[in-house]
Each structure stands twice: as structure tokens, then as C-alpha cells.
Amino acid sequence: MARNKFDIDENLESPFDIRHFKRALVYIKQQKRPMIIALVLSVLSAGIGLTAPLIMQHVVDVTIPEKEVGALFGWSALMLLTIVVSVILAAIRGRIMTSVGQDIIFEIRSDLFKHLQALPFKYYDDRPQGKIMIRVVNYVNSVSDVLSNGIINFIMEILNLVFIAVFMFAVDYRLALVILAGLPVFAAFLLLIKNRQRRSWQSVSNKSSNLNAYMQESISGIGVTQIFTREDRNEGIFTRLATNFRTEWIKAIHYNAMIPFTVDNLATIVTTMIYVVGLLVLSPAEVTFGVILAMSSYAARFWQPILNLSNLYNGFINAVAYLERIFETLDEPVTIKDAPGAKELPPVQGRVTFDHVTFGYDAGNHVLENLSFDVKPGESIALVGPTGAGKTTVVNLISRFYDVTGGRILVDGHNISEATLQSLRSQMGIMLQDSFIFSGTIMDNIRYGRLDATEDEIIAAAKTVRADDFIREFENGYMTEVNERGSKLSQGQRQLISFARTLLADPRILILDEATSSIDAKTERLLQQGMNELLKGRTSFIIAHRLSTVRGCDRIMYVSNKGIAESGSHDELIAKRGLYYKLYTAQKMEAV
């Protein structure tokens, strides 16, 4: 659970290795055709561009000494043409690779989102939302350029080096060897800082994730922050996290900056050595000034790809830190899924059986132990008891949001672990304690669980739960736009809309978890009338702290001590004068 904090760095459970990069190549292969076209354009652009030093050498050694003015203009025009063509080809290639990069982003992000939707509740219990979101948005953006332009540029720069080396050795092999002499020094330097650079960017990834998690938490809880005047304290926490991120970022950039600094200095030294060797060691008969000038130009061109490759190397090291996180998320096991050979659950009548069920959120810490009960089709069951006793756990297990540790749960005699999730949950109406409202219209929110519902059916559901009256009070009625989480609505209004959404699905098994917790007494009485109609012919499980809500249920189960401590109708439990009686009388006294 330590990961579930904004100020705790995440430890990688599967460090990066070459297999991660091979997996990334899957996304690259999907863009093979445009990348090949871009590579061809890059080769043509580079090849044409490399003719410029040869033209310059010929002009200096032949055209100018022989005073061929017409030829000088001709060579100048040809040199200008090579530059223009090279730039045009590079621009076309750039547009192609921009599209490729966005396609790669789309594919990775789509795979992440699809996988996140399949992950069990426990995954989200253990992690701040901000640390999940940053992987889908920021990290994918960070790796896209390396996986698109990075691959092409790497191949291109290698080809550039080969082409330039061929041209250099064709002009003068001795000066070419002088240029190549700096390579071993550069390679040794890279080996020296490689591991420290990678660790540094991993730390940047952690601090960025922490900062994003705190930002998300702070925005979600801004109301509580202002109520308790925590602004100054929260600003201090934010400053600390932002400072940590800044410190690690500067450290990582320091390592990155060392590479071009080294390349620039080596290029300067090598260019100087060309003039030293060409002018002082070799005689004018062995090497002309045009050759020296051409080789100095090739030296600059040779070390430019080295610099570009070092920048690509920097980008790759950065991307590795993010790829590790992305693939760690994609590798997170989907523990709640269809079993091999899972069958479609036929239309159910609603019988629910718990057969010696044991469950715990953490190994060795059971919430329920050896729990058994049987619910008949159409029976309404109320689950009451102290906070944390396991009431919500019971309904979560029926919905298979978690899998049982031991025993089994049956619906109409079918083991739910052997049925497909879609066929199970599609026959359930579930309203959880958190009444989540999506951005969009009120009608869109009610229709969320049944997209083919007509407008009349939506209004009928709203009327049943007594939501129609307050909805029509809005200027735009059912077409009123609401913000994410329904900030324009009261808590009671949000619950009524969520309740209408659940009713619209017309479920055979209905689960209501604190469905009326934020509704005033008058609205609750109206809602109870609609609920009575809804519950007819449906198996229902109702969790409510207000015991007045569940008095009419067929059976009330008091959940305590990892099981069902008492079970019976309201009158039967009152007559027993046990745990339920004490809870009920305590509430009555509080209401007085």
C-alpha cells in the first residue's frame, strides 16, 4: 500500500531490458510503409547534400585557378539546387513522420486505456489516480518521437556516417583517419555515464509521477482544502514535490548536456588536427588546399551525425524510463476476467447463493469467512451492520468486482466464476455508494448503461425515482449540461440521477449501496414509493445506514464478525432484541 501515496517513489517491478524495446517495435511495424518512404526520402536528401563539399573542392582547386567565370556560376547554381532539393525532401519526410508519431501515440494510448478498463478494483485501490493518468498521457507523448523519428533518424545517421566516411576516404584516407581518431574517446565517455544517466531519468519519472498525483488529489479535494483553510500547507507540499522534480530534472539534463559538449569539443579538436596534419605534416604536393577545405567540411558533417546520434541516445535513455512504466502497466495482470471456457449466463431468475465464501482484500486478513446464505428470486435483502464489517464486500463479490478467496457464489445455480463477466453484470443493476456523474447532459448520464433507451423510457425511469421534478426545473431540462462529477448538482440530485440510470437497465438483480444516503427525508419518502415498484419481481440487495429505508425488506442480514450475525425480518429481529435491535433503537433515539 506504500505505492498509494503521492510522496512515495514507485519501484519498478520489472526493470527494462531489450524485450521492452522489442515490444515497442510492434507499434513501429504497424507504420512500416510510411517509415520506409520517409527513410528513402532521407537517404536521397542526405546523398544530394553530400555532393556540396565535392563541388566546393572542384571550384577551389580547378574553376577558380583557371578563372572559368561561366563554370563558376554553373557550379554555384548546381550547389544551390542540391540545397533546395535536399530541404524539400527533408520537409516531406518531416510531415510523414509527424503523422507516424501521432499514429504510434494513438495505438499505445488505446492499448493502455483498454487494459486499464479491464483491470480489477484492487489495482486502483493501490495507486493514486494521478500516477495512472501520467502514464497514459505524458509518458506516451515522451516515447512517441523516439519510436517514430528516432528509429528513422538512427538509421539515417548511421547511413550518413557511412556515406561521409566513403567520401572522406575517397578524397584523402590519411585525413579521414585523423577525423575518425576521436571516436574511441567518445565511446569511452558514453560507457562511463550510461548507467548514471538512466538512473537519473528514472528518478525524473518518479518525481513527475509524484507531482502529478498530488495535483490530481488536490484538485479533486479543493472543497475540503478551502473548508479547512489548508491552502498554505498544501502549497508547501506542492513546493516540496515541485522542487524535488526540478532538482532531478536539472541533474538529468546535466548528464544530457555533457554529451553534445563532448562532441563539440572533439569535433573542434579533430578539425584543428586536419589543418595541422594537412599544412604542417603533409606537403602541398600530397594534399591541396581544396582537399583540406573539403575534409574540414566533411569533418563537421561527420561529427554532426555523431552529435545527432548522441541526442538520439539521450532520447532513448529518457524513453527507457517511460517505456518501463508503460509496459509495467500493460503487464499488470487482469485478475478478474473470463475463465477459460467461460459460458454465457442465460437470462436469470435471480436466485443468489453464497456457499462457504471466504474473502480478504489482503492475504491472511479475511473480511468474510465461511459465509453461506441463499436468496430466493425476487427476495429483497437488506445488509446492515457496523462500518467495515463487509456489507459492500458482499455486493462487490456478487458483481464479481473481486474474486472469492474460498467457496463459491451461484446465480440460479451457475457458478459466477465460470460465467462471462458481460453476461453476469449486464443482468445486474448496480448503484455504488459514489454517485459518479459524467460530463454531458442529464439525459446522456441516465442513458449511460443502456444506449438504445428511448427518451420516453429515460423520463419514465426518472419519474420512478422522483428525479423528473427537479430535472424539469433546470432551464434545459433533460438536456442540461453537467460537469464532470456533477459539480452543478447537489449530492442528492446526483444520487437520484444515478438511481434512474440503474433502473433504466431493468436488471434482474438489483444492488443499492447507500442509495439514499444523501437524500433528505421528504425525497427519501418519495423515492421509497418508486423503489417499492422497482423491487417487485427482482432480487435486490440494499445497503443502508438509515434503517427506516430497509424496514420493508423481506430479510435483513446483520453483517458482523466476518459473517452474518443475525438474519430475519424487521419484526423478527426486533423481537430478538439482539444486535439489530440495539442499532435500530440507537438510531431512533438519535432522531428524537
Side-chain angles (χ1 to χ4, degrees):
M1 295 299 291
R3 287 182 299 181
N4 198 15
K5 293 184 66 178
F6 60 79
D7 56 350
I8 299 295
D9 290 345
E10 296 177 283
N11 293 320
L12 278 171
E13 296 177 1
S14 55
F16 181 87
D17 58 40
I18 195 62
R19 288 175 296 176
H20 288 77
F21 195 68
K22 288 180 179 178
R23 290 175 63 181
L25 291 177
V26 172
Y27 297 100
I28 297 170
K29 289 178 181 177
Q30 295 174 3
Q31 306 296 324
K32 182 168 61 176
R33 185 172 180 275
M35 290 182 75
I36 290 174
I37 294 173
L39 180 60
V40 171
L41 292 175
S42 296
V43 171
L44 291 174
S45 175
I48 293 171
L50 286 173
T51 61
L54 292 178
I55 294 174
M56 181 175 61
Q57 177 194 347
H58 181 79
V59 168
V60 171
D61 287 344
V62 179
T63 306
I64 293 177
E66 295 182 3
K67 299 180 181 180
E68 297 175 351
V69 178
L72 180 62
F73 282 107
W75 285 114
S76 298
L78 180 60
M79 191 168 185
L80 178 61
L81 179 63
T82 62
I83 294 172
V84 171
V85 172
S86 180
V87 169
I88 291 175
L89 293 176
I92 296 172
R93 176 257 193 192
R95 294 191 63 178
I96 292 174
M97 291 313 298
T98 297
S99 176
V100 167
Q102 289 303 309
D103 287 342
I104 290 175
I105 286 177
F106 176 81
E107 293 297 332
I108 296 177
R109 192 166 286 151
S110 295
D111 286 350
L112 272 172
F113 185 74
K114 180 179 179 181
H115 189 69
L116 285 170
Q117 290 194 106
L119 290 176
F121 279 16
K122 189 174 188 329
Y123 177 80
Y124 297 95
D125 293 340
D126 288 350
R127 292 163 180 80
Q129 294 178 15
K131 291 193 176 186
I132 298 171
M133 290 176 62
I134 197 173
R135 299 186 182 205
V136 180
V137 181
N138 301 51
Y139 291 178
V140 174
N141 286 340
S142 298
V143 304
S144 66
D145 193 57
V146 172
L147 298 182
S148 55
N149 275 309
I151 300 296
I152 293 294
N153 288 340
F154 177 79
I155 297 173
M156 196 58 238
E157 299 303 345
I158 294 296
L159 291 176
N160 273 341
L161 285 176
V162 174
F163 289 158
I164 294 170
V166 170
F167 276 85
M168 288 192 307
F169 277 95
V171 174
D172 191 284
Y173 76 92
R174 293 161 298 187
L175 295 181
L177 292 174
V178 172
I179 295 173
L180 295 177
L183 281 180
V185 177
F186 181 65
F189 170 75
L190 283 183
L191 289 174
L192 183 65
I193 71 166
K194 180 184 69 172
N195 289 333
R196 277 177 282 184
Q197 188 180 15
R198 176 172 175 258
R199 286 194 298 269
S200 180
W201 280 106
Q202 284 179 338
S203 183
V204 169
S205 172
N206 277 329
K207 304 308 179 187
S208 174
S209 180
N210 293 347
L211 183 61
N212 194 74
Y214 186 69
M215 281 288 293
Q216 192 277 333
E217 179 181 296
S218 297
I219 292 171
S220 297
I222 190 65
V224 178
T225 295
Q226 294 181 356
I227 288 171
F228 290 96
T229 62
R230 279 264 309 193
E231 293 89 344
D232 291 342
R233 178 70 180 272
N234 288 3
E235 184 179 346
I237 296 173
F238 176 83
T239 300
R240 173 169 58 84
L241 294 173
T243 301
N244 290 341
F245 172 75
R246 177 180 177 273
T247 301
E248 294 304 321
W249 175 268
I250 291 175
K251 186 186 299 183
I253 290 298
H254 170 73
Y255 283 117
N256 278 15
M258 291 172 66
I259 295 178
F261 173 79
T262 303
V263 171
D264 286 340
N265 280 282
L266 284 173
T268 301
I269 293 170
V270 166
T271 302
T272 302
M273 292 305 299
I274 288 173
Y275 285 98
V276 170
V277 173
L279 296 175
L280 301 180
V281 178
L282 301 176
S283 65
E286 293 179 286
V287 57
T288 64
F289 183 71
V291 169
I292 295 175
L293 202 59
M295 291 301 289
S296 64
S297 176
Y298 279 129
R301 288 171 179 261
F302 180 81
W303 282 94
Q304 185 59 46
I306 297 293
L307 178 59
N308 293 341
L309 284 171
S310 66
N311 289 333
L312 288 173
Y313 173 80
N314 279 340
F316 176 75
I317 291 296
N318 303 355
V320 162
Y322 300 130
L323 279 173
E324 289 168 330
R325 306 294 184 184
I326 290 171
F327 286 124
E328 182 185 48
T329 303
L330 287 172
D331 289 338
E332 191 70 31
V334 179
T335 55
I336 308 298
K337 59 183 177 180
D338 292 343
K343 298 179 180 179
E344 293 286 322
L345 195 65
V348 301
Q349 297 300 310
R351 180 172 183 174
V352 176
T353 304
F354 272 54
D355 182 14
H356 298 90
V357 168
T358 296
F359 174 77
Y361 293 99
D362 300 308
N365 186 17
H366 293 158
V367 178
L368 302 172
E369 283 186 352
N370 204 32
L371 175 61
S372 296
F373 62 81
D374 188 69
V375 178
K376 298 175 183 177
E379 192 175 6
S380 58
I381 303 297
L383 299 172
V384 302
T387 300
K391 303 182 297 294
T392 298
T393 300
V394 170
V395 296
N396 281 342
L397 292 176
I398 298 172
S399 312
R400 219 186 141 207
F401 291 138
Y402 300 88
D403 275 333
V404 298
T405 307
R408 59 181 185 158
I409 299 174
L410 309 175
V411 172
D412 284 7
H414 302 279
N415 190 334
I416 64 172
S417 66
E418 298 172 357
T420 63
L421 287 171
Q422 194 279 334
S423 66
L424 172 67
R425 293 176 183 169
S426 64
Q427 300 190 66
M428 292 184 174
I430 305 169
M431 183 175 170
L432 300 177
Q433 192 169 353
D434 181 15
S435 302
F436 195 93
I437 299 296
F438 297 89
S439 58
T441 66
I442 291 176
M443 183 165 288
D444 289 337
N445 269 279
I446 298 176
R447 185 185 276 130
Y448 188 84
R450 186 182 156 200
L451 298 180
D452 62 346
T454 65
E455 185 173 327
D456 289 341
E457 289 172 325
I458 291 170
I459 294 174
K463 286 181 176 179
T464 302
V465 300
R466 305 303 189 264
D468 181 71
D469 290 341
F470 86 79
I471 293 174
R472 292 190 184 277
E473 290 177 1
F474 290 115
E475 182 179 352
N476 297 318
Y478 284 84
M479 300 311 295
T480 300
E481 292 282 341
V482 291
N483 297 332
E484 180 185 352
R485 303 194 70 88
S487 58
K488 292 183 178 179
L489 304 170
S490 70
Q491 178 64 21
Q493 289 172 335
R494 290 199 294 270
Q495 284 191 306
L496 288 172
I497 290 174
S498 297
F499 202 56
R501 179 167 60 201
T502 303
L503 301 191
L504 187 63
D506 192 24
R508 300 307 306 163
I509 300 175
L510 183 65
I511 294 174
L512 305 178
D513 187 350
E514 293 296 334
T516 61
S517 61
S518 298
I519 299 175
D520 59 75
K522 178 182 177 181
T523 305
E524 184 180 350
R525 286 193 295 270
L526 294 173
L527 179 59
Q528 193 69 47
Q529 299 171 15
M531 283 178 60
N532 291 337
E533 292 299 318
L534 170 70
L535 297 181
K536 289 180 180 178
R538 292 185 175 87
T539 303
S540 57
F541 293 85
I542 304 171
I543 299 174
H545 282 102
R546 289 182 184 175
L547 300 185
S548 58
T549 307
V550 300
R551 284 188 60 174
C553 289
D554 297 321
R555 200 182 340 163
I556 299 172
M557 295 182 179
Y558 191 100
V559 183
S560 180
N561 296 323
K562 304 180 181 180
I564 305 298
E566 293 181 351
S567 178
S569 68
H570 171 77
D571 293 337
E572 290 172 345
L573 294 179
I574 291 295
K576 284 184 178 181
R577 304 178 71 86
L579 296 171
Y580 177 79
Y581 171 81
K582 293 178 181 178
L583 183 63
Y584 182 75
T585 52
Q587 282 198 8
K588 285 191 67 175
M589 291 179 64
E590 290 175 1
V592 174

